Structure formats: C-alpha cells, structure tokens
Amino acid sequence: MRRILIVEDDPAILKGLEASLGEEHYQVLSAMDGEEGYRLAREENVDLIILDIMLPRKNGDEICRDLRAEGIETPILMLTSKKEEMDKVLGLELGADDYMTKPFSVRELQARIRALLRRHKGARKEVDEYTFGDVHVDFKRQEADKAGTPVKLSAKEFEVLKYFVQHEGEVVTRNMLLDEVWGYEAYPATRTVDNYILTLRKKLEDDPAQPEHLLTAHASGYKFVKK
C-alpha cells in the first residue's frame, strides 16, 4: 500500500484529503504544522508528500528546500491558495515535482498523485500478450480469443483489460480507471466503468454473473485475478 504524507494546516482540507485518499486505498499520514511535517517526511518511509506552502512553524518552501538539500527525493506536490506565478516558480525551483492552487478538484489531485507515483517508481511493465483461463489476448494486435474462438473487443475494452492485467491482484477503483484509461480531463461518469466491466464479463467470463477473473472488490471498485 502506497503511503502519502499530507502537511496541511486547514482542518477541513486535511480531513477531506484524508478521506478521499483513504478511499483510493492509500495509507495516509498527516501533520498540521511545518515542523511536524518535516519530521515525518524525514523519518517515515512515504511515497509522496502533499505539502501546503503557508504553514505554521516552518513553511512549505523551507520544507521542500531542506528535504532536497538532504538528498530526500520523495515526490512533492505543493498546495497553496496563492495565485502568483512566482510562487509556483519558486516551489518548483526548490525541488517540488508538481503544483496545485486551491481550490482544486480532488479528482485532478488524485490523477496527479498517480502520475507522480508512476514517474517516481517507473512505468508499469508493458504487456503485449496475456493468457488467463481459456482467454488469450494480444494487446499489440488488439486480438482476443476464448477457447480458440475469436472475441471482438473495442479499443477501449482492450485498454481497460490491459490496465487490469498490469494491476493484477490489486484493487482498482472506478476513479483510477477513469483517470488512467479515459484521462481525468474527459470526466465520463463512473457508471461508464461499470458498463465496460459488465461487457468484458459477458465476453470473457464463463459465467458473467459469477466471474472468476474480473471481480467486484466490495463497494470500492474491481480486482483482476488470473487464477
């Protein structure tokens, strides 16, 4: 489970971020002042830091500067209510990886977090061909068959299936799929994901009503299991 540190002194914003990131299955650590945030950033093994600029005791720019000076390369996403371009430039020059101005879209924030984590850890291994059960998929040629019989999948269905294969065994939320497959700027309805899963189950599962591979993960999303 990826660990994210939030350093934010606004209780309402902090609570909202903790809830939304928790729903996306991140482990969240938090601090409401700069000194505590700086300590956690140095002592805890976190995958990403969401850092407000205007903080008591030690501001975000100072935290970013000092972490980078110590050789800590954890991705940092800066938050601020300031709108001046120079504030953004300063944060980026001090070593921040991305920047968002309040108020911001939680969904866009989640998409940027995933992009930073991918960039930091490296891209997922490319999958050209894959077999599960009696299904064989050639993603490069966009061809699929089940028990030797060709199955027609749309380009988007191939993309959705490939994302699941690359995240085998992991819980994939609807928002993750929307952001990664459709792109967060497209903003399709979350029901779109459910419709695609239903279609893929009908085409690839032996019993779509009792799937063995494209499973529902409680109320949070889906999970692909190869078996």
Side-chain angles (χ1 to χ4, degrees):
M1 180 180 288
R2 297 290 183 89
R3 307 177 82 214
I4 295 179
L5 170 62
I6 306 171
V7 189
E8 168 62 64
D9 65 331
D10 185 315
I13 294 176
L14 179 59
K15 185 176 181 180
L17 288 174
E18 288 174 334
S20 63
L21 295 181
E23 289 173 358
E24 294 295 304
H25 301 278
Y26 295 111
Q27 182 181 349
V28 179
L29 291 75
S30 60
M32 295 187 68
D33 70 74
E35 287 289 353
E36 177 65 7
Y38 180 56
R39 182 188 69 79
L40 290 173
R42 296 176 70 216
E43 296 179 2
E44 296 289 340
N45 182 24
V46 297
D47 297 289
L48 184 137
I49 302 167
I50 298 175
L51 182 61
D52 189 22
I53 288 184
M54 300 301 292
L55 292 166
R57 301 181 66 196
K58 189 179 182 77
N59 69 44
D61 286 335
E62 293 170 338
I63 294 172
C64 184
R65 178 199 63 204
D66 292 348
L67 289 175
R68 295 303 188 237
E70 293 180 29
I72 297 174
E73 298 298 328
T74 306
I76 296 175
L77 193 159
M78 302 284 274
L79 299 179
T80 185
S81 56
K82 294 182 178 181
K83 296 182 180 179
E84 291 80 3
E85 184 176 357
M86 285 306 299
D87 294 318
K88 299 180 182 181
V89 172
L90 177 60
L92 294 171
E93 286 183 344
L94 289 173
D97 297 272
D98 202 354
Y99 201 108
M100 292 191 72
T101 302
K102 303 173 186 176
F104 52 83
S105 159
V106 171
R107 183 166 163 203
E108 181 177 350
L109 175 69
Q110 292 170 344
R112 291 190 184 215
I113 287 171
R114 282 191 281 276
L116 286 174
L117 291 173
R118 280 199 312 272
R119 194 186 313 162
H120 187 65
K121 295 293 185 181
R124 291 270 175 176
K125 183 179 179 181
E126 189 62 27
V127 179
D128 291 332
E129 294 188 53
Y130 194 80
T131 299
F132 60 97
D134 60 355
V135 176
H136 178 75
V137 185
D138 187 326
F139 291 106
K140 204 167 187 178
R141 295 176 179 271
Q142 292 207 333
E143 297 175 350
D145 66 76
K146 179 173 173 59
T149 301
V151 177
K152 187 175 181 179
L153 300 180
S154 69
K156 190 63 71 178
E157 287 167 350
F158 274 109
E159 287 185 62
V160 171
L161 182 58
K162 186 174 185 178
Y163 188 81
F164 274 113
V165 167
Q166 290 177 316
H167 294 78
E168 180 189 348
E170 301 176 20
V171 173
V172 174
T173 67
R174 293 170 178 83
N175 281 340
M176 288 171 68
L177 277 167
L178 290 173
D179 292 339
E180 300 294 335
V181 177
W182 278 266
Y184 64 81
E185 293 181 351
Y187 293 107
T190 55
R191 184 63 186 169
T192 300
V193 172
D194 298 330
N195 291 334
Y196 270 84
I197 302 304
L198 286 173
T199 301
L200 285 171
R201 283 173 173 170
K202 289 177 181 177
K203 293 181 178 182
L204 304 177
E205 296 280 4
D206 290 336
D207 182 357
Q210 295 183 324
E212 296 183 353
H213 304 288
L214 289 166
L215 310 179
T216 299
H218 306 296
S220 57
Y222 299 94
K223 180 190 292 187
F224 174 77
V225 178
K226 183 176 182 178
K227 287 191 177 180

